[in-house]
Amino acid sequence: MIRLTDLGVTIGRDPTNDVTLEEDKLVSRSHAEIVVRNEQWYLVDLGSRNGSVVNGRSARRYPLRDGDIIGIGSTHFEFVLESDPHDTEPAEIVPRDESSVSFTERERDVLRLISEGLTDKIIAERLFISANTVRSYLERIREKTGLHRRSELTRLAIELGLDDQ
């Protein structure tokens, strides 16, 4: 059983992930993550080579429900929502500090495209700028937030609602 927190869970072959599937060659180093936004859990594929699956369907960003079957490589997980019988009031998701940071419109565009799992080169093509300029925007975003991994930036984009645009 994997306990989820409001910070989410990363899944992949790399040992820095919260859930490590080192032996599964169908799993990317940073394959996917499970995050919560507005009290809804989502599976977010982080641009993995072989993709992620929920209930037998390909999923890039998928709202999870109790009983959903998540497929990462050849491994399958069941998503189970549990409520604490001792809770007296609903759990509250506390926003993280970096969501209060202000971003320029272009930084928000870069974050949105990062959340789609795109490479710097493809982001540059979509925004009609150079890949070096994309990296400059990413460096500014990282300086503002202290977040360095693409999965962390994807989580931030989701928290800010940029993935809905």
Side-chain angles (χ1 to χ4, degrees):
M1 181 185 313
I2 303 162
R3 290 256 178 225
L4 300 176
T5 68
D6 64 335
L7 298 177
V9 171
T10 57
I11 304 167
R13 270 195 351 249
D14 193 287
T16 61
N17 287 292
D18 301 311
V19 177
T20 305
L21 304 172
E22 292 180 64
E23 302 302 316
D24 192 338
K25 299 301 179 194
L26 297 174
V27 176
S28 297
R29 285 178 292 170
S30 291
H31 195 100
E33 68 178 345
I34 299 173
V35 296
V36 67
R37 188 178 107 220
N38 298 327
E39 298 181 26
Q40 170 65 56
W41 288 97
Y42 291 86
L43 173 75
V44 179
D45 187 273
L46 300 174
S48 65
R49 179 177 301 269
N50 293 310
S52 300
V53 175
V54 177
N55 300 327
R57 298 180 68 193
S58 180
R60 272 188 33 204
R61 207 168 316 139
Y62 192 94
L64 295 169
R65 290 179 177 60
D66 189 46
D68 282 345
I69 303 299
I70 300 168
I72 306 288
S74 58
T75 305
H76 291 85
F77 304 93
E78 181 178 4
F79 181 76
V80 179
L81 285 175
E82 293 179 350
S83 59
D84 184 351
H86 303 292
D87 268 353
T88 55
E89 49 191 60
E92 182 178 323
I93 305 300
V94 179
R96 294 169 47 178
D97 292 322
E98 57 268 3
S99 59
S100 64
V101 174
S102 65
F103 297 102
T104 66
E105 184 176 339
R106 186 59 90 181
E107 289 168 341
R108 294 172 77 79
D109 290 339
V110 169
L111 273 173
R112 178 179 49 79
L113 294 171
I114 286 287
S115 77
E116 293 179 16
L118 302 180
T119 64
D120 293 352
K121 181 180 177 186
I122 294 172
I123 293 171
E125 290 170 1
R126 293 248 181 115
L127 297 178
F128 304 103
I129 58 178
S130 73
N132 284 337
T133 303
V134 170
R135 287 189 276 280
S136 293
Y137 281 116
L138 285 171
E139 186 57 36
R140 276 190 241 143
I141 293 167
R142 288 176 172 129
E143 287 173 6
K144 288 180 176 184
T145 63
L147 302 175
H148 296 284
R149 295 171 51 194
R150 282 177 111 79
S151 61
E152 294 171 325
L153 296 175
T154 297
R155 182 183 302 126
L156 175 61
I158 291 170
E159 288 174 358
L160 294 173
L162 300 177
D163 61 319
D164 297 333
Q165 297 177 353

